Amino acid sequence: MYLFGRRIDASQIIVWIIGGVLFLLVLIGSISTLLTERYTVKQWLDFIIFGAAQGGIYALIALGYTMVYGVLRLINFAHGEVFMSGAFSAYFLAAALDKAMLLNRYPIPCLLVIAFLSAAVSATVAVCLERIAYRPLRRAPRLVNLITAIGASFFLQYTFRGLYGSGVEVYPDIAILKGDFWGIRKTLLVVCGSALAMLGILYAFIQGTKTGRAIRAISEDLETAALMGVDVDQTIAITFAVGGSTAGIAGVLYALIFSQVNFFMGFVPGMKAFTAAVMGGIGNVPGAALGGFLLGIFEAVGPSLFLDGLGIPAANQLKDVIAFTLLVLILIFRPTGLLGERLAVKRT
Amino acid sequence: MLTLNAIHSYYGQIHALKGVSFTVEKGEIVTLIGSNGAGKTTTLNTISGLIKPRSGEILFEGQRIDNLAPHEIAKRGISQSPEGRKIFGRMTVRENLEMGAFNRKDQAGIRHDLAQILELFPRLRERFNQSGGTLSGGEQQMLAIGRALMSRPRILTLDEPSMGLAPILVAQIFKIICDINQQGTTILLIEQNAQMALSIATRGYVLETGQIVLQGPAKDLLASPQVRKAYLGG
Ligand SMILES: Nc1ncnc2c1ncn2[C@@H]1O[C@H](COP(=O)(O)OP(=O)(O)OP(=O)(O)O)[C@@H](O)[C@H]1O
Ligand SMILES: [Mg+2]
């Protein structure tokens, strides 16, 4: 059958119908919520700001997925654990600084040191992961790599559980981040700002530096990049280090908002960030940032916006459903992700 | 300058090169001709280090290079314009050319060579800030050669630079290859267009199913009945 000059088959029509129904449900729910005026404008703004902060964290983690996918065509399922390793390790520094009464006396230098430590630990874990788990398998079939990634993910979770215990640790409070600024939680502003700044720095790094260009060259064509004199192994290690340190910063930002860390904290943000990377078009750096923010905001606004309107109780607990529904919708209508290119024309 | 000694290369179980030996002297244009699947690309990729030979040795300026990683071989001055051009499609023409100079630090020299390459291929100047993927086949070929030259190689290896080009463009590309050679760059040229390749080369080798079956001065090969029959249509 032909539609709009394109050939389509029956399964595609069914998928589109499912997509259309989901889309309609979202629309009906939203309209009915908005008509009942259940929430004030201020409340909506709060949802959006919270979503943007959460989304900034997703975006930072998603960058690691997308960059590693770019150079190795590998979904690094252990990336959520890379994020956890930094945040969890930095907790001990934060607690020590708090005990020494330094954290609230010099909050900004302390936070920078904490972020630095977290980034360093995450980068180290990511680089070791590449060196030990992925590099020996560079020529192995992809399924082998995928299984290795999942194995590495469990390995890291339980290593950190062994190291730091299975309890939930609570990050110390930081006095200057308490309270509001123009009616918005200061923490959220700091998280949003830091995430945007990090994304900007990363973009400049990838577009503007020689190493960034080498990463892009490998993403396009590994062998030709090597012919140009790019040290492929080194550049791949740098990619893991960059993605890892970004995830480490995301870990500290996460701890600022949610105050809690434990060995399992990487799983859900990791899955969400992976979702964000796929939504944006895996392999595409601006796409990962866009996907992260979109997912964060959608997730924060969605339960109140359309689930309430549909009369679904306890809508807030369903935000994960929303995240993955959004993923399904995007993949139905744009299989390559929002900014992705057609995978078929890429190297296999 | 470049010597291959009894090189054997494999793809898994497939024995692609069965003891290939040849030499390229400084200043020469040497051509390697052969039909589809003869092993020409495999030979170049073995020289460039993308494929590791299972036995044999490769010497470049007296030193073994067959154990080096591709980027180290590139650093020593062997550059390749690969089969199918392999342009970085999402990078601009400018960035592609700069990738060619990846390991150079002499900014002044890079600028000079860039200007010279744009002189050689004026079309690239017009497309300078356009992304590589949007160039025509011929423009991409020019870019691939220009990119390979940007490393200021001691030896330039070209894998079928005439593939898919209109005859007039083929003639132009071969003329440019001669010019590059005259400016002092040694050239190893791989071609299916045996007539053209032999007409500009100093010496030639004929490769058949992974083995060198004929070799000699280009003029002699052009005249040889064996070559005429197999590669020049009688
Ligand atoms: N990646 C690969 N995996 C398995 N076999 C390969 C691979 N690449 C090449 N071969 C085989 O090795 C042999 C030599 O191939 P090669 O590409 O070197 O030929 P060629 O002379 O460059 O041919 P053409 O003129 O068509 O480019 C062929 O028989 C080919 O089938
Ligand atoms: Mg070939």
Side-chain angles (χ1 to χ4, degrees):
Chain A
M1 192 205 301
Y2 289 83
L3 193 66
F4 308 127
R6 273 195 296 174
R7 231 192 81 78
I8 39 181
D9 53 33
S11 67
Q12 202 159 17
I13 294 176
I14 294 171
V15 166
W16 279 3
I17 290 172
I18 295 173
V21 168
L22 283 175
F23 185 75
L24 268 180
L25 278 177
V26 168
L27 205 65
I28 294 169
S30 311
I31 291 172
S32 88
T33 307
L34 290 176
L35 285 180
T36 55
E37 293 184 4
R38 203 172 314 187
Y39 299 94
T40 62
V41 173
K42 169 82 175 70
Q43 278 172 312
W44 286 121
L45 268 182
D46 282 348
F47 288 142
I48 291 175
I49 302 257
F50 183 81
Q54 172 88 70
I57 293 170
Y58 292 158
L60 289 180
I61 309 172
L63 271 173
Y65 279 105
T66 234
M67 285 173 68
V68 164
Y69 182 84
V71 293
L72 287 183
R73 298 294 183 271
L74 160 78
I75 304 293
N76 178 12
F77 270 115
H79 193 57
E81 278 55 56
V82 169
F83 156 87
M84 172 275 289
S85 64
F88 206 169
S89 304
Y91 156 75
F92 294 97
L93 177 63
L97 286 171
D98 189 40
K99 225 172 177 180
M101 308 295 254
L102 289 171
L103 188 57
N104 280 311
R105 196 171 323 151
Y106 309 109
I108 292 172
C110 281
L111 274 176
L112 288 179
V113 172
I114 291 169
F116 182 81
L117 177 76
S118 179
V121 172
S122 286
T124 310
V125 170
V127 169
C128 290
L129 193 63
E130 192 272 329
R131 199 57 253 260
I132 297 166
Y134 301 143
R135 193 179 297 182
L137 298 175
R138 193 97 35 97
R139 281 165 195 271
R142 282 205 216 172
L143 192 58
V144 173
N145 281 290
L146 202 64
I147 293 166
T148 306
I150 293 169
S153 166
F154 282 117
F155 174 82
L156 285 171
Q157 272 180 25
Y158 288 94
T159 303
F160 277 83
R161 180 184 157 156
L163 275 176
Y164 300 150
S166 58
V168 172
E169 308 288 351
V170 180
Y171 256 67
D173 281 333
I174 296 161
I176 56 158
L177 290 181
K178 280 215 148 40
D180 292 353
F181 181 77
W182 280 28
I184 301 168
R185 272 174 68 192
K186 276 188 195 165
T187 316
L188 297 182
L189 285 177
V190 168
V191 169
C192 270
S194 319
L196 281 173
M198 276 298 292
L199 290 171
I201 292 171
L202 246 127
Y203 190 71
F205 167 74
I206 289 169
Q207 290 299 322
T209 66
K210 202 163 167 178
T211 311
R213 196 182 301 140
I215 292 174
R216 281 187 290 141
I218 293 180
S219 304
E220 282 203 48
D221 186 336
L222 186 139
E223 293 201 334
T224 307
L227 285 182
M228 300 297 118
V230 174
D231 184 340
V232 172
D233 283 346
Q234 191 195 8
T235 309
I236 288 175
I238 292 174
T239 308
F240 273 84
V242 171
S245 49
T246 317
I249 305 269
V252 172
L253 298 182
Y254 182 90
L256 286 183
I257 300 186
F258 298 101
S259 296
Q260 294 186 344
V261 290
N262 73 337
F263 77 97
F264 197 63
M265 68 181 276
F267 181 71
V268 173
M271 286 308 280
K272 294 284 177 62
F274 169 58
T275 306
V278 173
M279 271 169 34
I282 188 109
N284 183 302
V285 169
L290 178 69
F293 279 106
L294 207 65
L295 183 65
I297 292 173
F298 205 77
E299 214 180 64
V301 175
S304 320
L305 185 59
F306 39 81
L307 293 187
D308 266 5
L310 293 173
I312 292 171
N316 248 315
Q317 289 167 18
L318 293 176
K319 66 182 193 148
D320 295 354
V321 176
I322 289 184
F324 297 114
T325 306
L326 181 64
L327 175 70
V328 169
L329 273 177
I330 288 178
L331 289 184
I332 286 176
F333 292 108
R334 248 193 96 80
T336 57
L338 294 171
L339 302 183
E341 293 152 55
R342 240 168 267 127
L343 282 173
V345 300
K346 279 195 190 158
R347 139 180 100 98
T348 48
Chain B
M1 183 178 211
L2 178 71
T3 307
L4 276 74
N5 262 335
I7 288 293
H8 289 261
S9 290
Y10 289 75
Y11 294 100
Q13 297 296 313
I14 300 166
H15 195 172
L17 298 186
K18 303 165 185 159
V20 170
S21 305
F22 65 84
T23 59
V24 181
E25 298 300 339
K26 194 165 167 47
E28 281 189 309
I29 300 182
V30 169
T31 184
L32 192 62
I33 57 180
S35 46
N36 291 116
K40 305 181 297 293
T41 301
T42 310
T43 306
L44 264 203
N45 284 342
T46 307
I47 295 171
S48 292
L50 292 177
I51 299 168
K52 293 282 163 238
R54 215 171 272 183
S55 68
E57 56 175 17
I58 303 176
L59 297 167
F60 181 59
E61 298 185 320
Q63 287 178 320
R64 292 263 316 241
I65 57 164
D66 45 290
N67 293 318
L68 300 181
H71 70 275
E72 290 167 319
I73 294 173
K75 249 185 219 168
R76 301 221 172 174
I78 300 181
S79 87
Q80 191 192 129
S81 160
E83 178 172 38
R85 299 149 198 151
K86 305 278 177 67
I87 294 304
F88 297 113
R90 276 174 270 160
M91 294 190 189
T92 63
V93 167
R94 180 208 195 105
E95 286 178 312
N96 268 282
L97 290 171
E98 284 170 353
M99 277 310 295
F102 191 77
N103 278 318
R104 287 175 64 180
K105 303 229 153 44
D106 55 321
Q107 294 303 326
I110 293 175
R111 266 196 303 278
H112 171 266
D113 288 3
L114 186 63
Q116 209 171 19
I117 284 162
L118 294 179
E119 197 83 8
L120 209 54
F121 302 108
R123 285 292 273 280
L124 295 184
R125 192 195 300 277
E126 292 163 33
R127 306 271 182 273
F128 203 48
N129 291 312
Q130 197 170 316
S131 70
T134 64
L135 299 188
S136 78
E139 289 163 349
Q140 288 194 353
Q141 188 60 61
M142 297 177 198
L143 182 54
I145 298 175
R147 186 180 62 179
L149 282 172
M150 279 300 287
S151 64
R152 204 178 269 191
R154 308 168 85 78
I155 178 165
L156 172 67
T157 67
L158 299 157
D159 197 342
E160 301 202 31
S162 72
M163 190 167 61
L165 300 189
I168 183 158
L169 214 53
V170 174
Q172 208 182 335
I173 295 267
F174 274 85
K175 161 110 188 13
I176 288 170
I177 293 171
C178 280
D179 290 349
I180 293 167
N181 178 249
Q182 250 133 51
Q183 284 164 27
T185 309
T186 308
I187 287 173
L188 174 58
L189 170 66
I190 282 182
E191 261 304 333
Q192 290 209 35
N193 189 337
Q195 172 78 49
M196 275 294 219
L198 288 171
S199 67
I200 66 164
T202 342
R203 291 184 303 116
Y205 292 86
V206 179
L207 196 62
E208 245 171 49
T209 56
Q211 284 170 310
I212 303 276
V213 293
L214 261 181
Q215 62 186 71
K219 275 198 294 295
D220 298 1
L221 286 180
L222 259 180
S224 122
Q226 219 177 326
V227 172
R228 298 198 71 83
K229 188 151 170 282
Y231 302 104
L232 302 174

